[in-house]
């Protein structure tokens, strides 16, 4: 079974690890969000692509949910001396990834090519694709104007009243090579429990990707990242409200409505299933909060059963 996953953020990485334990590696293609990408210290950082590769390669720091295990921050400490911005923590091992990516991009390689090489060098045998090779940046507008995603999420710690979200550059972006083809030829598409606005939203903002999801014969399943009316982690709830979506599994269903077939909702949201099914979706009620490896594998297994 060829599976394509849409992924961004830490919730996606956990489900991917669960899927990785259950399906042959060559059957999983990951389309990663690049709307979170940022230029830090002059280096191109792709947090969601790195989190996918670090997780699937077994390098991830599980406490933080990003960066590498056994990380040190010696260089970071020296950058303080030079007055460099230090609101975004780049560890010494993580820096190697950004130095390497930045050099290859500067030499003209595409983000797709660079990501494939980094995945391979990190012993990740899955196909990890960026959503686009062109720049698409998630920006949020607060009372003091527009912020890049990392400025909002890390520097301001999401303590900003967001009234608008924009995916800057999306209208000029193309799906990365292989993304539309993978979706078209997949047996199944799994939308990971990621933030619908700032992790999945940027992927859908790339012209052609939402259309590919509508056109594919694949069964398209999503795991709701909203449980009991709030996000399992992160600012998804507030951002969904800012974008006019109900902060519930129903709101997730409406955000993905045109192309979604099945929505996995948490036991706490069982009462919502009649309204979700009235919208034309199939719902599966299960435990969607992943606790430990067993929780990741259990949710992955539930998704695969629903797709079978
Ligand atoms: N998140 C933080 O909350 N603080 C950080 O200092 C931070 C650094 C960082 C460095 C590399 C990387 O790949 C991710 C990093 N993240 C950090 C997480 C990142 O902001 C999020 O993983 C995504 O952008 C949200 O999906």
């Amino acid at each position: 079974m060829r599976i394509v996953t849409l992924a961004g953020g830490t919730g996606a990485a956990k489900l991917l690890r669960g899927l990785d334990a259950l399906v042959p590696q060559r059957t999983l293609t990951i389309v990663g969000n690049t709307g979170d990408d940022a230029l830090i210290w002059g280096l191109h950082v792709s947090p969601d692509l790195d989190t996918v590769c670090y997780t699937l390669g077994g390098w991830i720091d599980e406490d933080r949910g990003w960066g590498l295990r056994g990380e040190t921050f010696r260089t970071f400490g020296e950058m303080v001396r030079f007055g460099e911005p230090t609101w975004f923590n780049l560890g010494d091992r993580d820096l190697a990834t950004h130095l390497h990516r930045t050099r290859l991009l500067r030499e003209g390689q595409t983000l797709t090519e660079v990501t494939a090489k980094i995945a391979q060098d990190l012993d990740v045998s899955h196909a990890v694709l960026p959503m686009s090779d062109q720049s698409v940046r998630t920006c949020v507008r607060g009372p003091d104007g527009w912020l890049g995603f990392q400025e909002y999420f890390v520097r301001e710690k999401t303590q900003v009243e967001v009234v608008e979200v924009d995916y800057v550059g999306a209208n000029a972006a193309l799906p990365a090579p292989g993304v539309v083809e993978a979706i078209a030829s997949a047996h199944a598409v799994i939308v990971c429990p990621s933030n619908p606005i700032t992790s999945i939203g940027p992927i859908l903002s790339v012209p052609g990707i939402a259309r590919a999801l509508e056109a594919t014969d694949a069964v398209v399943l999503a795991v709701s990242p909203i449980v009991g009316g709030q996000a399992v982690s992160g600012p998804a709830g507030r951002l969904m409200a800012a974008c006019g979506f109900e902060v519930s599994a129903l709101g997730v269903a409406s955000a993905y409505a045109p192309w979604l077939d099945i929505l996995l909702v948490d036991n706490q949201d069982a009462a919502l299933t009649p309204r979700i099914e009235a919208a034309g979706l199939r719902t599966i009620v299960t435990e969607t909060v992943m606790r430990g490896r067993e929780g990741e594998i259990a949710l992955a297994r539930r998704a695969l059963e629903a797709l079978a």
Side-chain angles (χ1 to χ4, degrees):
M1 179 197 301
R2 282 190 304 278
I3 300 171
V4 171
T5 61
L6 304 188
T10 48
K14 290 158 71 87
L15 180 62
L16 286 173
R17 192 163 43 206
L19 288 168
D20 183 39
L22 298 174
V23 301
Q25 291 194 334
R26 304 237 170 267
T27 58
L28 204 51
T29 296
I30 297 103
V31 176
N33 168 41
T34 56
D36 290 0
D37 287 17
L39 206 55
I40 306 285
W41 302 344
L43 301 175
H44 185 125
V45 180
S46 297
D48 285 349
L49 296 177
D50 290 346
T51 298
V52 166
C53 290
Y54 290 164
T55 300
L56 291 176
W59 310 90
I60 195 81
D61 179 298
E62 297 200 29
D63 300 332
R64 283 198 300 261
W66 48 268
L68 295 101
R69 205 177 40 243
E71 185 62 283
T72 53
F73 292 86
R74 301 284 299 272
T75 309
F76 179 86
E78 296 307 314
M79 290 298 261
V80 173
R81 180 193 317 278
F82 292 121
E84 286 278 350
T86 51
W87 51 268
F88 194 77
N89 296 278
L90 286 180
D92 298 317
R93 302 181 73 191
D94 197 26
L95 270 173
T97 306
H98 312 315
L99 286 165
H100 186 51
R101 176 186 294 116
T102 302
R103 177 178 71 81
L104 295 182
L105 289 172
R106 192 173 291 143
E107 290 176 3
Q109 290 200 27
T110 65
L111 187 56
T112 297
E113 292 163 337
V114 174
T115 304
K117 178 169 185 309
I118 289 172
Q120 184 182 9
D121 292 346
L122 291 174
D123 307 325
V124 176
S125 56
H126 308 277
V128 182
L129 307 177
M131 66 191 200
S132 175
D133 282 338
Q134 288 76 46
S135 168
V136 180
R137 293 292 175 266
T138 303
C139 294
V140 300
R141 183 161 66 83
D144 302 329
W146 288 94
L147 290 170
F149 180 78
Q150 298 304 342
E151 293 165 329
Y152 163 71
F153 186 73
V154 178
R155 196 188 69 198
E156 303 307 323
K157 298 180 174 34
T158 77
Q159 299 314 300
V160 172
E161 186 60 39
V162 173
V163 293
E164 191 180 352
V165 177
D166 191 17
Y167 308 113
V168 177
N171 49 20
L174 297 170
V179 168
V180 170
E181 295 80 357
I183 292 171
S185 63
H187 294 101
V189 176
I190 296 177
V191 182
C192 293
S194 308
N195 187 318
I197 307 300
T198 56
S199 293
I200 304 301
I203 299 175
L204 301 175
S205 78
V206 177
I209 293 183
R211 193 167 50 247
L213 290 165
E214 288 186 55
T216 182
D217 292 334
V219 181
V220 185
L221 175 148
V223 178
S224 174
I226 304 294
V227 173
Q230 56 186 13
V232 174
S233 70
R238 281 176 279 145
L239 292 171
M240 285 179 71
C243 295
F245 291 107
E246 182 184 311
V247 184
S248 71
L250 203 62
V252 176
S254 59
Y256 299 162
W259 39 263
L260 189 64
D261 299 313
I262 303 171
L263 184 62
L264 252 62
V265 303
D266 193 79
N267 295 321
Q268 294 178 49
D269 297 313
L272 291 176
T273 53
R275 288 168 62 194
I276 297 172
E277 288 171 356
L281 294 185
R282 217 177 109 213
T283 57
I284 306 261
V285 180
T286 186
E287 171 64 54
T288 62
V289 181
M290 295 172 275
R291 291 184 179 83
R293 285 285 190 284
E294 316 73 55
E296 295 170 1
I297 290 175
L299 182 58
R301 179 171 289 115
R302 197 72 192 83
L304 292 170
E305 285 166 359
L307 290 164

